[in-house]
């Protein structure tokens, strides 16, 4: 059975507030100004008659009192205990304020986040569809709901392509919501998180910037473990932290090999092949698929990918899987460069850096398993 395994740092799987996507700048600024006013009013200790009138008017203006999944409002009053005596409103479905002040109800006003249908996300979908991996590690995804919506709304909905029956993501340590998830055509049977692995050099701190999830996938009775990674970025660089993460990753890899011979290290390792972190990983016997004889592309995966230092994304295989590799390639058509990358005809829909799928290529390998 040929199984295609891939990794892709999409960079764009985040849901922005609906107001930010309004094409009319004046309308966008109006929504944001009204939201600021509404928050200020709602935070008042006591609501007088004028306050209640102003709050009610803004709630009515933006339909913020009720949720419509088919046409969500740009602003929504999210109440955690919307009971008879703990609601902002006089009655269910009403926009009239009944609460006496901030302490009389539980909840908040929020800017509603838009669904994923932007051109950049569609182009990420085109990359995923072109790769057509059986198992795809996705880097820089906001949360599992976003990954699931990408699967259903973009792959299956907008693009009309085959969606993945299985997806999983555990929220990581990054406060910006930059997480690591997986899409799979084979059952995901277990997950091990390393969110709480301690940093040996920083007492009380977590080691992994995001996580190092172990996704176990069933393949004809033999489990395949994918170790998903997004190591410390070179922005505000901390090489010592990235090295410590790589050392721990090597330990996790060795432990996983005791359970199954099929272990793949995948993701954005944020360093090149000549770096200390990669030395640590390659010293375990892992091998980079881009060194396989079937690979015909350039040395890098990021940007133009024409220099060894552009190598950030990896599929690392143990010796037991190396002889099973049939084909290795990059999908670079979602990247925008002007002039275009040599020998790469980007997707027609990729017209600028704004709507590019990512500045990372998707890396994939076909294995006979």
């Amino acid at each position: 059975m040929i199984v295609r395994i891939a990794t892709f740092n999409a960079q764009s799987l985040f849901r922005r507030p609906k107001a930010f996507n309004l094409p009319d700048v004046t309308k966008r600024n109006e929504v944001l100004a009204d939201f600021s006013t509404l928050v200020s009013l709602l935070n008042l200790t006591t609501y007088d008659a004028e306050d209640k009138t102003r709050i009610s008017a803004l709630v009515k203006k933006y339909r913020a009192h009720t949720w419509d999944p088919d046409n969500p409002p740009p602003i929504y009053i999210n109440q955690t205990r919307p009971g008879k005596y703990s609601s902002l409103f006089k009655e269910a479905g009403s926009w009239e304020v009944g609460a006496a002040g901030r302490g009389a109800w539980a909840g908040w006003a929020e800017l509603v986040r838009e669904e994923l249908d932007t051109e950049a996300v569609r182009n990420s979908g085109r990359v995923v569809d072109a790769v057509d991996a059986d198992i795809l590690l996705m880097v820089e995804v906001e949360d599992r709901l976003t990954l699931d919506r990408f699967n259903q709304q973009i792959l299956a909905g907008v693009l009309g392509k085959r969606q993945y029956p299985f997806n999983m993501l555990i929220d990581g340590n990054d406060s910006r919501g930059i997480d690591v998830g997986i899409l799979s055509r084979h059952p995901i049977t277990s997950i091990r998180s390393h969110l709480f692995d301690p940093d040996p050099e920083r007492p009380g701190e977590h080691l992994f910037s995001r996580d190092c999830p172990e996704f176990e996938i069933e393949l004809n009775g033999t489990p395949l473990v994918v170790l998903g990674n997004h190591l410390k970025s070179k922005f505000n660089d901390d090489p010592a932290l990235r090295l410590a993460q790589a050392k721990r990753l090597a330990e996790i890899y060795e432990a996983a090999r005791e359970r199954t011979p099929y272990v793949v290290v995948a993701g954005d390792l944020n360093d090149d092949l000549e770096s200390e972190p990669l030395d640590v990983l390659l010293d375990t016997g892992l091998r980079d698929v881009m060194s396989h004889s079937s690979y015909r592309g350039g040395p890098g995966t990021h940007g133009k990918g024409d220099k060894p230092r552009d190598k950030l994304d990896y599929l690392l295989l143990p010796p037991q899987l190396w002889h099973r590799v049939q084909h290795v390639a990059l999908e670079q058509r979602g990247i925008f460069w002007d002039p275009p990358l040599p020998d790469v005809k980007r997707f027609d829909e990729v017209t600028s850096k704004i709507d590019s799928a990512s500045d990372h290529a998707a890396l994939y390998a076909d294995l006979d398993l």
Side-chain angles (χ1 to χ4, degrees):
M1 176 177 66
I2 300 298
V3 177
R4 178 166 289 183
I5 303 173
T7 182
F8 179 40
N9 185 335
Q11 294 185 313
S12 59
L13 296 191
F14 300 89
R15 290 180 292 149
R16 287 160 50 90
K18 186 174 182 178
F20 290 178
N21 289 334
L22 292 173
D24 186 329
V25 176
T26 301
K27 182 63 176 175
R28 184 191 318 150
N29 290 339
E30 179 185 352
V31 174
L32 296 177
D34 284 346
F35 176 72
S36 178
T37 299
L38 179 59
V39 169
S40 296
L41 289 168
L42 291 175
N43 282 337
L44 293 173
T45 303
T46 302
Y47 305 150
D48 62 24
E50 182 181 352
D51 297 329
K52 291 183 179 182
T53 298
R54 294 178 66 194
I55 292 171
S56 295
L58 289 171
V59 168
K60 182 179 180 181
K61 178 179 180 180
Y62 292 105
R63 302 177 290 115
H65 60 297
T66 186
W67 183 254
D68 180 356
D70 295 323
N71 183 25
I75 299 171
Y76 179 60
I77 304 296
N78 194 334
Q79 299 193 84
T80 55
R81 297 188 183 91
K84 182 176 181 181
Y85 300 107
S86 57
S87 174
L88 173 65
F89 305 111
K90 285 185 176 180
E91 57 187 33
S94 169
W95 60 79
E96 295 184 77
V97 174
R102 190 65 187 90
W105 65 286
W108 60 87
E110 62 184 43
L111 287 170
V112 174
R113 290 187 295 173
E114 188 70 272
E115 296 301 340
L116 288 169
D117 192 10
T118 65
E119 198 58 52
V121 175
R122 292 182 207 174
N123 286 328
S124 291
R126 291 182 176 98
V127 170
V128 170
D129 174 59
V131 171
D132 194 25
D134 298 290
I135 299 166
L136 173 60
L137 188 84
M138 295 288 290
V139 180
E140 294 201 16
V141 181
E142 185 175 29
D143 51 30
R144 201 200 75 81
L145 181 58
T146 299
L147 183 63
D148 189 56
R149 288 180 174 177
F150 172 75
N151 188 31
Q152 295 187 38
Q153 297 174 358
I154 301 300
L155 286 180
V158 174
L159 300 180
K161 305 299 183 179
R162 185 168 54 141
Q163 72 180 56
Y164 285 85
F166 307 100
N167 66 78
M168 184 51 64
L169 182 150
I170 298 175
D171 287 339
N173 290 320
D174 195 306
S175 60
R176 298 166 296 172
I178 299 178
D179 295 322
V180 179
I182 198 164
L183 297 168
S184 178
R185 303 202 190 284
H186 300 274
I188 302 167
T189 54
S190 73
I191 308 163
R192 296 188 183 195
S193 172
H194 291 276
L195 277 172
F196 305 107
D197 284 15
D199 186 333
E201 301 298 326
R202 300 181 301 167
E205 296 291 330
H206 298 139
L207 175 60
F208 288 107
S209 309
R210 267 59 72 161
D211 190 6
C212 178
E214 301 183 53
F215 299 107
E216 187 170 302
I217 297 166
E218 193 66 32
L219 288 177
N220 290 342
T222 302
L224 167 74
V225 172
V226 178
L227 303 183
N229 288 271
H230 188 191
L231 299 189
K232 175 66 182 74
S233 169
K234 289 189 176 182
F235 291 105
N236 299 316
D237 203 3
D238 188 344
L241 176 58
R242 191 162 51 252
L243 178 59
Q245 292 171 343
K247 289 178 178 178
R248 177 61 181 138
L249 171 55
E251 294 174 351
I252 296 168
Y253 161 72
E254 295 285 14
R257 285 182 64 197
E258 295 179 4
R259 306 194 305 273
T260 176
Y262 293 177
V263 182
V264 178
V265 173
D268 182 352
L269 302 185
N270 269 314
D271 230 328
D272 59 66
L273 282 166
E274 301 301 317
S275 65
E276 284 190 87
L278 266 297
D279 284 343
V280 167
L281 293 170
L282 298 179
D283 282 348
T284 65
L286 283 164
R287 300 177 70 176
D288 172 30
V289 297
M290 287 173 64
S291 68
H292 194 269
S293 59
S294 66
Y295 179 66
R296 297 287 186 270
T301 62
H302 179 256
K304 293 184 177 180
D306 57 354
K307 299 178 179 61
R309 69 170 180 266
D310 294 332
K311 170 74 170 155
L312 298 179
D313 305 275
Y314 292 84
L315 291 174
L316 302 179
L317 302 182
Q320 296 94 326
L321 291 181
W322 192 252
H323 70 284
R324 297 179 179 271
V325 176
Q326 306 296 304
H327 177 65
V328 178
L330 289 177
E331 176 53 74
Q332 296 176 288
R333 289 177 291 173
I335 300 174
F336 178 84
W337 277 100
D338 191 13
L341 297 172
D343 304 320
V344 177
K345 185 184 185 303
R346 63 176 177 252
F347 296 127
D348 291 339
E349 295 83 1
V350 176
T351 61
S352 70
K353 285 187 176 294
I354 301 301
D355 60 26
S356 63
S358 175
D359 57 16
H360 291 250
L363 171 63
Y364 61 94
D366 294 334
L367 283 72
D368 186 358
L369 300 177

